[in-house]
Amino acid sequence: MQVGVAMAVRLPSGPAKLSGAQSRRLCRPRRGPAVRMSLKEDGPSLAVVGVTGAVGQEFLSVISDRDFPYRSIRMLASKRSAGRRMSFEDREYVIEELTEESFHGVDIALFSAGGSISKVFGPAAVASGCIVVDNSSAFRMDPDTPLVIPEVNPEAMAHIKVGSGKGGLIANPNCSTIICLMAATPLHRHAKVKRMVVSTYQAASGAGAAAMEELEQQTREVLEGRPPTCNIFKQQYAFNLFSHNAPVEPNGYNEEEMKLVKETRKIWNDPEVKVTATCIRVPVMRAHAESVNLQFEEPLDEEAAKQILKEAPGVVVIDDRSANRFPTPLEVSNKDDVAVGRIRRDISQEGNLGLDIFVCGDQIRKGAALNAIQIAEKLL
């Protein structure tokens, strides 16, 4: 592996633009004063690994939106992206090639470059004294790695802090798990979930910027009567839906479905809770939707459930039966909160021991980047 890395430097000329639909999603300008308050000498030093990807760019957007304090940022990516210029908060940077030496002097590294990259460079960063917040599946089920949704189980990472002199690794859960548990956990705390049945309707954003661009391209091609380009998925995505493209395991569940099962048990610290899932890819650009059926140990009626969810942090209730208005992926896109609606008693169960809910959340935002930044906030 290569050693040695150029530091991000301020440049005299403007950044080069990335092409295609991805460029329209990079470093969205934020309204407000030109001088940013998040650049602080006493803040932590940051590194963003996979900065040119959809989630990497959303890391930067959330850092800016939340005024996350930092004294410096390293923009890290693959060799093919190294040397590109990009702007962030009125400063210009050179994207650096990711190496094992990239983390010297870095306090917090935000990773979103895939599991294989995380497995190699995550431990290297920790060995350098860096705290890694990893968005891949590489370490989620490692018993020594906290798997954290800050609104759900912040206590799992309480032993890791910036300034302690020790590196550490914290895993971001899968996007579908985060979106589901943001809504299910407040109800679980009140009545204890015995069994949860989840059906997901997952957007292109879950497969990255290239999948989002391909959905745009396919839509134009199909409307023009041309055969769709299928580079990311093996079949037509536009105007279609299909089982999630994750590999299918011997038990018939795909990896995405088993993530929801295993991660829920770990996050809730309840290996006995019964969870089953069916994950479907739908032609939505951004934000996942999930139908969740809950069976409780204790009775919980729908009105009490609505009140619990209205008071839950990071959750907004959209449940207007008379207007038939409930959450949609479109209205939660680029939003921080997870929306919950269709809150109703499960009539297949006796009494008030079951509820059905419908949940929507931005996969790139709360399902990935926002959750990671919220973890980073708790490290300070």
Side-chain angles (χ1 to χ4, degrees):
M1 296 183 181
Q2 290 185 325
V3 295
V5 63
M7 291 292 291
V9 294
R10 190 165 184 169
L11 300 171
S13 58
K17 294 183 178 180
L18 300 178
S19 60
Q22 184 181 3
S23 65
R24 298 193 291 276
R25 291 186 285 272
L26 301 189
C27 294
R28 294 191 303 272
R30 187 182 179 203
R31 296 174 183 175
V35 177
R36 301 295 306 142
M37 298 303 295
S38 49
L39 184 63
K40 297 181 178 179
E41 288 302 319
D42 59 349
S45 58
L46 303 181
V48 178
V49 178
V51 71
T52 58
V55 175
Q57 287 294 304
E58 200 70 19
F59 281 150
L60 298 181
S61 178
V62 176
I63 287 168
S64 183
D65 289 348
R66 295 176 72 86
D67 284 335
F68 184 88
Y70 62 90
R71 68 176 181 271
S72 64
I73 298 185
R74 282 183 166 180
M75 309 295 187
L76 302 173
S78 65
K79 184 176 182 179
R80 67 177 179 272
S81 296
R84 289 185 181 181
R85 300 172 181 177
M86 63 178 295
S87 63
F88 176 62
E89 293 197 336
D90 304 316
R91 288 171 175 80
E92 293 162 7
Y93 298 86
V94 168
I95 297 172
E96 309 169 34
E97 180 183 357
L98 174 65
T99 74
E100 288 188 333
E101 304 300 315
S102 296
F103 304 99
H104 292 312
V106 173
D107 295 313
I108 301 173
L110 305 169
F111 273 63
S112 188
S116 60
I117 297 297
S118 293
K119 287 178 181 178
V120 173
F121 294 99
V126 172
S128 296
C130 179
I131 299 174
V132 172
V133 183
D134 182 45
N135 195 55
S136 80
S137 62
F139 305 102
R140 287 175 185 158
M141 299 314 299
D142 178 352
D144 296 325
T145 301
L147 182 65
V148 176
I149 305 171
E151 296 91 341
V152 174
N153 63 331
E155 68 282 355
M157 55 172 284
H159 61 290
I160 304 176
K161 292 290 182 184
V162 168
S164 67
K166 296 181 180 179
L169 202 153
I170 302 166
N172 225 28
N174 192 42
C175 52
S176 55
T177 305
I178 293 173
I179 292 165
C180 177
L181 296 193
M182 283 292 293
T185 299
L187 306 177
H188 173 61
R189 287 173 177 156
H190 187 89
K192 189 169 174 56
V193 172
K194 292 174 56 178
R195 182 171 186 260
M196 182 166 67
V197 182
V198 185
S199 298
T200 72
Y201 313 90
Q202 295 183 225
S205 57
M212 298 169 76
E213 187 166 3
E214 183 165 287
L215 178 56
E216 291 181 9
Q217 180 180 354
Q218 280 194 9
T219 301
R220 287 191 294 269
E221 289 169 341
V222 172
L223 289 174
E224 293 169 359
R226 294 185 286 138
T229 299
C230 299
N231 293 326
I232 306 302
F233 300 113
K234 296 179 181 179
Q235 54 192 306
Q236 180 177 321
Y237 192 15
F239 306 101
N240 193 22
L241 57 84
F242 44 80
S243 181
H244 193 281
N245 50 295
V248 178
E249 300 187 357
N251 64 0
Y253 286 72
N254 64 43
E255 288 182 358
E256 187 80 359
E257 292 158 352
M258 290 308 300
K259 288 176 185 177
L260 220 161
V261 174
K262 294 175 182 178
E263 292 176 19
T264 296
R265 290 172 176 167
K266 181 174 179 178
I267 292 166
W268 280 357
N269 193 26
D270 184 357
E272 302 303 319
V273 64
K274 295 180 172 66
V275 181
T276 185
T278 301
C279 295
I280 302 296
R281 188 74 74 185
V282 297
V284 171
M285 185 59 66
R286 180 172 172 143
H288 293 349
E290 304 183 18
S291 172
V292 183
N293 175 267
L294 300 164
Q295 182 181 355
F296 301 106
E297 286 190 2
E298 302 293 332
L300 179 61
D301 65 66
E302 60 187 41
E303 290 306 318
K306 285 181 185 178
Q307 190 59 39
I308 290 167
L309 290 168
K310 286 178 181 178
E311 296 172 359
V315 174
V316 60
V317 174
I318 303 174
D319 196 278
D320 187 345
R321 295 180 183 178
S322 61
N324 199 14
R325 182 170 180 265
F326 304 105
T328 68
L330 191 60
E331 64 188 319
V332 300
S333 292
N334 294 293
K335 303 290 179 58
D336 289 350
D337 288 338
V338 169
V340 188
R342 299 300 319 276
I343 304 163
R344 62 201 189 279
R345 185 175 73 86
D346 176 0
I347 60 173
S348 73
Q349 299 188 51
E350 297 296 326
N352 288 313
L353 293 175
L355 285 173
D356 286 299
I357 61 175
F358 189 72
V359 189
C360 288
D362 188 310
Q363 178 276 330
I364 306 179
R365 198 83 177 176
K366 181 54 183 172
L370 172 62
N371 198 76
I373 303 303
Q374 288 174 312
I375 288 172
E377 290 171 345
K378 289 190 173 296
L379 295 171
L380 303 182

